[in-house]
Amino acid sequence: MARPYKPGPKQFVFAADDGNDQQVSVGDPQEAYMAFSAFFRGRESDTYTIKDEPAGQRLVLMPRLGVISRIKDGDQPRSEHLKAGRANRYLPSAMLFFENGYAGLDRFGQWFSDLSDLDASPETRGAARAATFTTEAAAIEEVARIWADSGIVDPSDQYYVFFDSHGVDDDRAERAELLQLIEFLGLERVDAPAEAAGGEVWVRSDPRLAAECARWS
């Protein structure tokens, strides 16, 4: 059961290109998610916005551009953007926003402060993202985040498999980021089995990796 908002109920405004904004008053994040899911699926729009006006925060979904943006107003305004990559990313991002606002999306993907950065090639975006991690602790946490999104542990328990069953054209930005972080951390990448999908990345188990991935399991 979803944890109720305290204080509650909480108000959100849903907006789309058709101008038919909807204000909802909800008792918990699951109720907010269900209301927004109906709003999102009930129309076709270039842009969908969830506004938490009392908190000065917004989540903007742009399915036709493949972009998700999060915005925080206030004394230190901030906005960040990411390539959604897959159509099934939009509603999960909304749920994280309903649960913990702007900060709830910290670990959702490769955020960039400049929207134009999303126009770069996936490999360039991945390299730029990897370069932002300058400590072992932050880098291993990011590697575990990538693994948790699409990875498995090989049945032999010797290898962590990233991008399980994904093709080589999938997840290019995150793969580029991962490969740089593997090198930075000194993890051992091994050849994938012949039957593995072309986009899989296999890494030999490492105590640091095992400990961090366990936190994300």
Side-chain angles (χ1 to χ4, degrees), residues 90-112:
Y90 298 104
L91 289 176
S93 74
M95 185 63 189
L96 292 172
F97 185 76
F98 290 133
E99 289 177 333
N100 288 299
Y102 185 100
L105 290 133
D106 283 350
R107 299 174 176 176
F108 191 64
Q110 295 179 329
W111 293 102
F112 294 90

Side-chain angles (χ1 to χ4, degrees), residues 189-213:
R189 184 184 178 187
V190 300
D191 292 336
E195 67 273 15
E200 292 182 6
V201 175
W202 286 55
V203 176
R204 191 176 300 279
S205 183
D206 174 281
R208 297 167 298 167
L209 182 60
E212 190 62 34
C213 286

